[in-house]
Amino acid sequence: MPKKKYTPTFKAKIVISILQVEKEFNEICTENNYNLNMVRKWKQYSIPITKDTKIV
């Protein structure tokens, strides 16, 4: 089975939803069958965001 490839835009949407705390990190990953470590890396390599930054 080939590896799934996700676009940078898709990765950003997932990271933003985690940062906005719409749902728990584990819940988002489990609901969508994402590997927890994979999404953690996306989050780790995303642009640093401070708590004062507004996400549109």
Side-chain angles (χ1 to χ4, degrees):
M1 188 158 99
K3 258 174 99 170
K4 287 185 180 180
K5 293 189 179 189
Y6 299 102
T7 65
T9 303
F10 177 80
K11 292 177 185 180
K13 286 179 183 179
I14 299 302
V15 170
I16 287 170
S17 69
I18 291 168
L19 293 174
Q20 288 179 332
V21 193
E22 293 170 355
K23 295 182 181 178
E24 292 293 322
F25 177 84
N26 291 341
E27 188 178 352
I28 290 171
C29 293
T30 304
E31 284 179 356
N32 298 291
N33 295 321
Y34 303 141
N35 180 289
L36 294 170
N37 291 323
M38 176 183 69
V39 178
R40 272 195 191 99
K41 286 181 183 178
W42 294 353
K43 186 177 172 186
Q44 178 183 354
Y45 295 120
S46 65
I47 299 170
I49 298 176
T50 65
K51 63 182 178 181
D52 297 331
T53 304
K54 290 187 179 182
I55 301 172
V56 179

